[in-house]
Amino acid sequence: MEQRPKSFYALTAFFVLFLIFLYGPTLTIGILSFQGPGGGLTFPMRGVSLHWFRDLFEQQAVGDIWGSFRRSFVLGLMVMVTTVVVSVMGGLAFRKRFTGSSILFYLIITSLVIPSILISLGVGLIWSQSGLPVHWSTSGFGAQLTWTLPFALLIMFAVFNRFDRSYEEAARDLGASPWQVIRHVVLPIIAPSLIGVALFGFTLSYDEFARTLLTSGSYNTLPLEIFGMTTNVTTPVLFALGTLTTIFSLLVIGAFLMVVWIMNRRRARNGSDAGQGMV
């Protein structure tokens, strides 16, 4: 039997510690959310129950949990759709060199290295000084796009750099218009990547705190609401909320992965049918 080197066990131990560091806090919150009615925010647990999950669906004395959740969900959808559309347009535009393309690229990437709180402050000031109402659906929406669009564009640049243009040339040779080439050739091929960009845009928006802090106006998004609750809520209902939002995030990720899996299965089946038809 082959003996494993000591470095293998050292790397395994390091990886296990990394997983504990990464997921330990989330698991701890999940466990504490099942405290009994007399439980607190720390161990040891005082009984086990679903009391604090039921409490979430009752009238809360502090905060607007479900209103903030709806706002975050709608804002996430807005950011997701805009991110996908603009990133595809940007990816198509940058396939060809044009005047100022390098400067524009670096301007886009610059927003990733500027501290998020400064972006929030700047966007909030622009809106207020322009006489426009600071609101999560306007200034908050714009601030979050400075976070999601650079990532999405970088993904699209990588996708189009690997894109085989012979498919487009074949479609044009068959008489397809530029719009038909994009609709019937380009978009179906890059569809799995678009699903990834959409998931990226939604999740980045859904849990964004710093860029929304000074741009949401009088109505909190869910991250801001949870932060506010940490200063005045002293029961495990806060942990129950964290557990539910984590489960919701996992369900969203699972739904997107399922869509990608279905698309890949359908593509493989169509390719198999086409191959049999040629035979």
Side-chain angles (χ1 to χ4, degrees):
M1 184 176 180
E2 184 180 356
Q3 186 176 5
R4 299 184 184 276
K6 293 182 178 179
S7 59
F8 171 81
Y9 296 102
L11 290 174
T12 301
F14 176 79
F15 181 68
V16 171
L17 289 174
F18 171 74
L19 289 179
I20 294 174
F21 174 79
L22 190 63
Y23 296 106
T26 302
L27 291 175
T28 300
I29 289 175
I31 293 171
L32 288 174
S33 64
F34 291 95
Q35 290 260 30
L41 298 176
T42 59
F43 290 104
M45 293 180 64
R46 300 174 184 174
V48 178
S49 73
L50 298 175
H51 171 79
W52 302 108
F53 290 95
R54 290 193 297 268
D55 192 58
L56 274 176
F57 294 92
E58 298 177 358
Q59 183 66 35
Q60 298 293 316
V62 179
D64 181 19
I65 296 175
W66 299 112
S68 62
F69 170 77
R70 287 191 295 270
R71 286 188 285 273
S72 283
F73 185 75
V74 172
L75 182 58
L77 292 178
M78 292 168 56
V79 171
M80 179 187 72
V81 173
T82 306
T83 299
V84 170
V85 173
V86 175
S87 64
V88 172
M89 295 172 64
L92 290 171
F94 274 89
R95 297 176 78 186
K96 297 181 180 179
R97 301 287 295 184
F98 55 88
T99 304
S101 60
S102 297
I103 297 176
L104 181 59
F105 171 78
Y106 288 114
L107 286 176
I108 294 171
I109 302 303
T110 299
S111 66
L112 295 178
V113 299
I114 299 175
S116 297
I117 192 65
L118 293 182
I119 296 288
S120 180
L121 176 62
V123 173
L125 284 175
I126 290 175
W127 246 258
S128 60
Q129 293 299 315
S130 301
L132 300 173
V134 177
H135 195 265
W136 60 269
S137 63
T138 54
S139 53
F141 171 66
Q144 290 195 3
L145 286 179
T146 66
W147 180 235
T148 61
L149 281 178
F151 282 113
L153 284 170
L154 288 175
I155 295 173
M156 282 294 102
F157 292 162
V159 169
F160 282 117
N161 282 337
R162 300 193 307 268
F163 191 87
D164 188 352
R165 299 196 179 193
S166 61
Y167 297 112
E168 297 173 88
E169 295 172 359
R172 283 193 290 268
D173 290 341
L174 292 173
S177 65
W179 168 242
Q180 289 175 323
V181 171
I182 294 175
R183 180 183 176 184
H184 298 290
V185 178
V186 176
L187 291 182
I189 292 176
I190 68 172
S193 298
L194 294 183
I195 298 297
V197 169
L199 174 61
F200 211 50
F202 181 84
T203 53
L204 285 179
S205 169
Y206 179 70
D207 67 355
E208 177 58 26
F209 174 81
R211 296 184 188 235
T212 319
L213 180 61
L214 302 175
T215 58
S216 64
S218 303
Y219 298 96
N220 286 340
T221 58
L222 187 59
L224 298 179
E225 192 69 26
I226 293 176
F227 176 75
M229 291 176 65
T230 60
T231 62
N232 49 38
V233 175
T234 57
T235 63
V237 70
L238 181 61
F239 294 156
L241 175 60
T243 301
L244 285 183
T245 55
T246 300
I247 293 174
F248 174 76
S249 299
L250 293 176
L251 290 175
V252 170
I253 294 173
F256 276 90
L257 293 178
M258 180 61 69
V259 171
V260 173
W261 180 78
I262 292 174
M263 293 176 62
N264 288 334
R265 282 286 301 272
R266 183 175 300 174
R267 179 178 298 177
R269 186 167 57 250
N270 291 339
S272 176
D273 294 341
Q276 293 176 359
M278 293 178 63
V279 174

